[in-house]
Amino acid sequence: VSNPNPNTGAGVLLDLDTRGANDLGIRYYNGTTYWVSGVDPGDSMKYKIAKNWQVGANEYFVIDTTGKVGIGTSAPIAKLEVNSTGTYGINITNIASSGAGYGIKVYGKGGYSSNSYGVYTESQSDMYGVSGYGIYSSVTGSGDNYGIYATASGGTNNYAGYFANADVYVEK
């Protein structure tokens, strides 16, 4: 498939048009497994990648018409939502060759009457005897190691750490 007039910049390289309520996508099949990517008119025209023979079933990846991306969910409620039943929802590895290496860098900016959170975390343990951690940190290395390092400045009150409604436990 090619653009009949590439010098004008007009036209498209590939145009799929069903002009109806049918799924619109490209199907891949290797003889045992189907994958499909395309638009699902039956679900608000979301773009989906699915392990199935049709769009709209067994989705792995979804982009809705507002730009929200879902991995493991067909209805993302944030710019990026990842749902997983595995051990890790997201695993990030960063091996910096020099200087600082950040797995995740987060910038949060609140409005005039709202709080700002760089990282907001909730954890719920539904099983008896299983611990829940909002943030769990393990650090090893030959230099100075910080499980959690925080600074705070410029506010009316500055707390590098603030713990509400809980005991603080320090083990050495």
Side-chain angles (χ1 to χ4, degrees):
V1 180
S2 65
N3 185 343
N5 191 356
N7 296 326
T8 65
V12 295
L13 295 179
L14 178 63
D15 186 8
L16 303 173
D17 187 349
T18 63
R19 306 253 175 180
N22 298 324
D23 293 343
L24 179 62
I26 299 172
R27 187 177 304 146
Y28 310 90
Y29 181 64
N30 67 358
T32 57
T33 305
Y34 281 104
W35 282 89
V36 65
S37 62
V39 177
D40 187 357
D43 191 11
S44 304
M45 298 302 288
K46 293 176 184 172
Y47 176 80
K48 300 179 177 184
I49 297 175
K51 187 177 180 184
N52 204 324
W53 61 275
Q54 64 183 8
V55 175
N58 201 21
E59 302 102 358
Y60 281 68
F61 179 87
V62 172
I63 303 174
D64 72 13
T65 55
T66 66
K68 294 177 183 168
V69 176
I71 300 172
T73 178
S74 61
I77 60 172
K79 207 57 162 164
L80 173 62
E81 180 175 348
V82 178
N83 290 345
S84 174
T85 57
T87 302
Y88 302 104
I90 300 175
N91 183 26
I92 298 173
T93 301
N94 180 12
I95 302 171
S97 60
S98 64
Y102 301 97
I104 299 175
K105 182 179 179 190
V106 179
Y107 174 76
K109 183 177 181 182
Y112 285 108
S113 62
S114 65
N115 294 326
S116 176
Y117 303 96
V119 175
Y120 179 89
T121 175
E122 290 184 16
S123 179
Q124 181 177 355
S125 177
D126 293 333
M127 300 185 68
Y128 179 75
V130 176
S131 299
Y133 300 95
I135 297 175
Y136 177 87
S137 176
S138 176
V139 180
T140 60
S142 59
D144 295 331
N145 298 309
Y146 304 94
I148 297 174
Y149 177 87
T151 63
S153 63
T156 304
N157 297 299
N158 298 294
Y159 305 102
Y162 183 90
F163 303 91
N165 302 320
D167 294 330
V168 176
Y169 177 77
V170 178
E171 180 180 303
K172 183 148 174 112

